[in-house]
Tab-separated table of all heavy atoms in Angstrom:
chain	number	residue	atom	x	y	z
A	1	LYS	N	-4.344	-23.504	0.644
A	1	LYS	CA	-5.350	-22.467	0.390
A	1	LYS	C	-5.655	-21.670	1.663
A	1	LYS	O	-5.755	-20.448	1.636
A	1	LYS	CB	-6.622	-23.115	-0.156
A	1	LYS	CG	-7.660	-22.138	-0.623
A	1	LYS	CD	-8.823	-22.853	-1.278
A	1	LYS	CE	-9.801	-21.840	-1.834
A	1	LYS	NZ	-10.947	-22.461	-2.465
A	2	ASN	N	-5.795	-22.378	2.789
A	2	ASN	CA	-6.052	-21.700	4.058
A	2	ASN	C	-4.865	-20.826	4.470
A	2	ASN	O	-5.043	-19.718	4.972
A	2	ASN	CB	-6.342	-22.714	5.164
A	2	ASN	CG	-7.723	-23.335	5.016
A	2	ASN	OD1	-8.586	-22.773	4.350
A	2	ASN	ND2	-7.914	-24.486	5.630
A	3	PHE	N	-3.658	-21.352	4.258
A	3	PHE	CA	-2.462	-20.593	4.600
A	3	PHE	C	-2.377	-19.328	3.738
A	3	PHE	O	-2.046	-18.251	4.241
A	3	PHE	CB	-1.211	-21.457	4.407
A	3	PHE	CG	0.048	-20.751	4.802
A	3	PHE	CD1	0.354	-20.562	6.145
A	3	PHE	CD2	0.931	-20.248	3.840
A	3	PHE	CE1	1.512	-19.903	6.518
A	3	PHE	CE2	2.067	-19.589	4.212
A	3	PHE	CZ	2.372	-19.419	5.549
A	4	GLN	N	-2.705	-19.444	2.456
A	4	GLN	CA	-2.690	-18.279	1.551
A	4	GLN	C	-3.707	-17.239	2.018
A	4	GLN	O	-3.425	-16.049	2.017
A	4	GLN	CB	-3.001	-18.710	0.109
A	4	GLN	CG	-2.982	-17.589	-0.910
A	4	GLN	CD	-1.609	-16.949	-1.067
A	4	GLN	OE1	-0.589	-17.601	-0.884
A	4	GLN	NE2	-1.593	-15.682	-1.383
A	5	GLY	N	-4.881	-17.678	2.450
A	5	GLY	CA	-5.901	-16.758	2.939
A	5	GLY	C	-5.447	-16.027	4.188
A	5	GLY	O	-5.667	-14.819	4.331
A	6	LEU	N	-4.803	-16.764	5.104
A	6	LEU	CA	-4.282	-16.126	6.312
A	6	LEU	C	-3.172	-15.130	5.987
A	6	LEU	O	-3.093	-14.055	6.585
A	6	LEU	CB	-3.752	-17.185	7.284
A	6	LEU	CG	-4.815	-18.018	7.998
A	6	LEU	CD1	-4.145	-19.126	8.814
A	6	LEU	CD2	-5.671	-17.153	8.904
A	7	THR	N	-2.344	-15.494	5.036
A	7	THR	CA	-1.256	-14.601	4.628
A	7	THR	C	-1.822	-13.308	4.058
A	7	THR	O	-1.352	-12.208	4.390
A	7	THR	CB	-0.354	-15.298	3.581
A	7	THR	OG1	0.187	-16.490	4.151
A	7	THR	CG2	0.787	-14.404	3.157
A	8	GLU	N	-2.829	-13.427	3.217
A	8	GLU	CA	-3.450	-12.238	2.613
A	8	GLU	C	-4.102	-11.368	3.683
A	8	GLU	O	-4.001	-10.131	3.642
A	8	GLU	CB	-4.461	-12.648	1.548
A	8	GLU	CG	-3.810	-13.218	0.296
A	8	GLU	CD	-4.817	-13.795	-0.692
A	8	GLU	OE1	-6.039	-13.748	-0.425
A	8	GLU	OE2	-4.370	-14.291	-1.731
A	9	LYS	N	-4.761	-11.988	4.649
A	9	LYS	CA	-5.380	-11.226	5.733
A	9	LYS	C	-4.321	-10.514	6.563
A	9	LYS	O	-4.488	-9.338	6.949
A	9	LYS	CB	-6.223	-12.143	6.620
A	9	LYS	CG	-7.526	-12.568	5.994
A	9	LYS	CD	-8.328	-13.444	6.936
A	9	LYS	CE	-9.607	-13.909	6.277
A	9	LYS	NZ	-10.396	-14.777	7.157
A	10	ALA	N	-3.240	-11.190	6.852
A	10	ALA	CA	-2.162	-10.587	7.637
A	10	ALA	C	-1.538	-9.423	6.879
A	10	ALA	O	-1.252	-8.373	7.463
A	10	ALA	CB	-1.105	-11.627	7.984
A	11	GLU	N	-1.328	-9.607	5.581
A	11	GLU	CA	-0.765	-8.521	4.776
A	11	GLU	C	-1.716	-7.325	4.730
A	11	GLU	O	-1.280	-6.171	4.822
A	11	GLU	CB	-0.469	-9.012	3.355
A	11	GLU	CG	0.723	-9.944	3.273
A	11	GLU	CD	0.912	-10.537	1.876
A	11	GLU	OE1	0.042	-10.337	0.992
A	11	GLU	OE2	1.934	-11.209	1.674
A	12	GLY	N	-3.009	-7.600	4.594
A	12	GLY	CA	-4.000	-6.524	4.583
A	12	GLY	C	-4.020	-5.775	5.905
A	12	GLY	O	-4.076	-4.538	5.933
A	13	ALA	N	-3.953	-6.504	6.997
A	13	ALA	CA	-3.948	-5.884	8.323
A	13	ALA	C	-2.682	-5.048	8.509
A	13	ALA	O	-2.740	-3.940	9.068
A	13	ALA	CB	-4.051	-6.950	9.412
A	14	ALA	N	-1.560	-5.561	8.033
A	14	ALA	CA	-0.301	-4.817	8.155
A	14	ALA	C	-0.362	-3.530	7.330
A	14	ALA	O	0.092	-2.471	7.781
A	14	ALA	CB	0.868	-5.684	7.707
A	15	LYS	N	-0.926	-3.606	6.138
A	15	LYS	CA	-1.059	-2.403	5.298
A	15	LYS	C	-1.989	-1.392	5.948
A	15	LYS	O	-1.710	-0.185	5.944
A	15	LYS	CB	-1.571	-2.779	3.906
A	15	LYS	CG	-0.540	-3.449	3.037
A	15	LYS	CD	-1.108	-3.829	1.679
A	15	LYS	CE	-0.115	-4.603	0.855
A	15	LYS	NZ	-0.674	-5.023	-0.435
A	16	ASP	N	-3.087	-1.870	6.509
A	16	ASP	CA	-4.017	-0.968	7.202
A	16	ASP	C	-3.341	-0.285	8.387
A	16	ASP	O	-3.510	0.925	8.606
A	16	ASP	CB	-5.255	-1.739	7.690
A	16	ASP	CG	-6.176	-2.162	6.559
A	16	ASP	OD1	-6.017	-1.643	5.428
A	16	ASP	OD2	-7.057	-3.008	6.809
A	17	ALA	N	-2.570	-1.054	9.149
A	17	ALA	CA	-1.862	-0.488	10.298
A	17	ALA	C	-0.836	0.553	9.841
A	17	ALA	O	-0.712	1.628	10.444
A	17	ALA	CB	-1.183	-1.597	11.094
A	18	ALA	N	-0.137	0.249	8.767
A	18	ALA	CA	0.860	1.198	8.247
A	18	ALA	C	0.181	2.471	7.759
A	18	ALA	O	0.679	3.578	7.996
A	18	ALA	CB	1.658	0.550	7.124
A	19	ASN	N	-0.943	2.330	7.080
A	19	ASN	CA	-1.677	3.510	6.605
A	19	ASN	C	-2.183	4.358	7.771
A	19	ASN	O	-2.115	5.588	7.735
A	19	ASN	CB	-2.847	3.094	5.714
A	19	ASN	CG	-2.393	2.584	4.366
A	19	ASN	OD1	-1.302	2.893	3.908
A	19	ASN	ND2	-3.226	1.777	3.725
A	20	THR	N	-2.687	3.695	8.801
A	20	THR	CA	-3.172	4.408	9.985
A	20	THR	C	-2.033	5.143	10.673
A	20	THR	O	-2.167	6.317	11.052
A	20	THR	CB	-3.840	3.425	10.965
A	20	THR	OG1	-4.940	2.804	10.296
A	20	THR	CG2	-4.349	4.124	12.198
A	21	LEU	N	-0.903	4.484	10.816
A	21	LEU	CA	0.265	5.114	11.428
A	21	LEU	C	0.739	6.287	10.579
A	21	LEU	O	1.060	7.354	11.111
A	21	LEU	CB	1.391	4.094	11.597
A	21	LEU	CG	2.696	4.632	12.182
A	21	LEU	CD1	2.466	5.216	13.574
A	21	LEU	CD2	3.743	3.537	12.223
A	22	GLY	N	0.757	6.111	9.272
A	22	GLY	CA	1.170	7.190	8.379
A	22	GLY	C	0.257	8.394	8.503
A	22	GLY	O	0.725	9.542	8.543
A	23	GLN	N	-1.037	8.168	8.570
A	23	GLN	CA	-1.994	9.272	8.699
A	23	GLN	C	-1.849	9.960	10.052
A	23	GLN	O	-1.898	11.181	10.139
A	23	GLN	CB	-3.431	8.766	8.523
A	23	GLN	CG	-4.461	9.877	8.496
A	23	GLN	CD	-4.228	10.875	7.370
A	23	GLN	OE1	-4.087	10.506	6.223
A	23	GLN	NE2	-4.190	12.151	7.698
A	24	ALA	N	-1.651	9.173	11.107
A	24	ALA	CA	-1.461	9.759	12.435
A	24	ALA	C	-0.191	10.602	12.468
A	24	ALA	O	-0.173	11.701	13.053
A	24	ALA	CB	-1.391	8.657	13.491
A	25	THR	N	0.852	10.115	11.832
A	25	THR	CA	2.110	10.874	11.770
A	25	THR	C	1.899	12.171	11.013
A	25	THR	O	2.365	13.237	11.438
A	25	THR	CB	3.207	10.028	11.100
A	25	THR	OG1	3.385	8.829	11.856
A	25	THR	CG2	4.516	10.780	11.023
A	26	GLN	N	1.196	12.114	9.885
A	26	GLN	CA	0.941	13.319	9.092
A	26	GLN	C	0.112	14.324	9.883
A	26	GLN	O	0.381	15.520	9.851
A	26	GLN	CB	0.216	12.965	7.786
A	26	GLN	CG	0.012	14.148	6.863
A	26	GLN	CD	1.323	14.777	6.416
A	26	GLN	OE1	2.200	14.086	5.933
A	26	GLN	NE2	1.453	16.075	6.574
A	27	ASN	N	-0.885	13.838	10.617
A	27	ASN	CA	-1.699	14.727	11.448
A	27	ASN	C	-0.847	15.412	12.517
A	27	ASN	O	-1.004	16.607	12.775
A	27	ASN	CB	-2.843	13.959	12.108
A	27	ASN	CG	-3.907	13.520	11.113
A	27	ASN	OD1	-3.969	14.002	9.990
A	27	ASN	ND2	-4.734	12.573	11.520
A	28	ALA	N	0.056	14.648	13.130
A	28	ALA	CA	0.928	15.221	14.152
A	28	ALA	C	1.848	16.278	13.548
A	28	ALA	O	2.035	17.354	14.133
A	28	ALA	CB	1.748	14.119	14.825
A	29	VAL	N	2.394	15.991	12.388
A	29	VAL	CA	3.270	16.964	11.712
A	29	VAL	C	2.483	18.229	11.389
A	29	VAL	O	2.977	19.351	11.582
A	29	VAL	CB	3.885	16.350	10.439
A	29	VAL	CG1	4.549	17.412	9.575
A	29	VAL	CG2	4.887	15.262	10.810
A	30	ASN	N	1.264	18.072	10.910
A	30	ASN	CA	0.431	19.241	10.586
A	30	ASN	C	0.164	20.089	11.829
A	30	ASN	O	0.202	21.319	11.769
A	30	ASN	CB	-0.885	18.805	9.950
A	30	ASN	CG	-0.711	18.242	8.562
A	30	ASN	OD1	0.324	18.426	7.927
A	30	ASN	ND2	-1.714	17.538	8.079
A	31	GLN	N	-0.143	19.436	12.947
A	31	GLN	CA	-0.409	20.169	14.182
A	31	GLN	C	0.832	20.909	14.663
A	31	GLN	O	0.748	22.063	15.098
A	31	GLN	CB	-0.914	19.214	15.264
A	31	GLN	CG	-2.321	18.711	15.016
A	31	GLN	CD	-2.782	17.721	16.069
A	31	GLN	OE1	-2.017	17.327	16.937
A	31	GLN	NE2	-4.039	17.323	15.991
A	32	ILE	N	1.985	20.257	14.569
A	32	ILE	CA	3.235	20.900	14.979
A	32	ILE	C	3.534	22.089	14.073
A	32	ILE	O	3.931	23.155	14.543
A	32	ILE	CB	4.392	19.881	14.972
A	32	ILE	CG1	4.182	18.851	16.085
A	32	ILE	CG2	5.741	20.575	15.105
A	32	ILE	CD1	5.078	17.637	15.988
A	33	THR	N	3.327	21.911	12.778
A	33	THR	CA	3.569	22.995	11.820
A	33	THR	C	2.654	24.177	12.100
A	33	THR	O	3.105	25.333	12.108
A	33	THR	CB	3.362	22.494	10.375
A	33	THR	OG1	4.260	21.407	10.135
A	33	THR	CG2	3.610	23.581	9.366
A	34	ASP	N	1.383	23.903	12.343
A	34	ASP	CA	0.429	24.976	12.648
A	34	ASP	C	0.821	25.707	13.935
A	34	ASP	O	0.797	26.937	13.993
A	34	ASP	CB	-0.994	24.417	12.791
A	34	ASP	CG	-1.584	23.950	11.465
A	34	ASP	OD1	-1.022	24.297	10.400
A	34	ASP	OD2	-2.607	23.235	11.494
A	35	ALA	N	1.180	24.946	14.957
A	35	ALA	CA	1.569	25.556	16.235
A	35	ALA	C	2.838	26.392	16.071
A	35	ALA	O	2.937	27.492	16.627
A	35	ALA	CB	1.777	24.475	17.293
A	36	SER	N	3.779	25.884	15.295
A	36	SER	CA	5.017	26.633	15.064
A	36	SER	C	4.742	27.931	14.330
A	36	SER	O	5.297	28.977	14.671
A	36	SER	CB	6.007	25.783	14.253
A	36	SER	OG	6.384	24.639	14.971
């Protein structure tokens, strides 16, 4: 049960990190597009 909880937390953290990276990438693309 403890291992399952840690796994779920790790997966949630990984998803959050991926979402943050995706948003940062999109923001960078938008800025480059605007500047271009």
Side-chain angles (χ1 to χ4, degrees):
K1 188 174 184 181
N2 286 340
F3 183 74
Q4 181 64 30
L6 287 174
T7 301
E8 289 172 1
K9 286 181 182 179
E11 288 174 353
K15 286 179 185 178
D16 289 346
N19 288 337
T20 300
L21 178 60
Q23 186 59 52
T25 301
Q26 184 61 52
N27 290 344
V29 168
N30 290 344
Q31 289 178 354
I32 292 167
T33 301
D34 290 346
S36 297

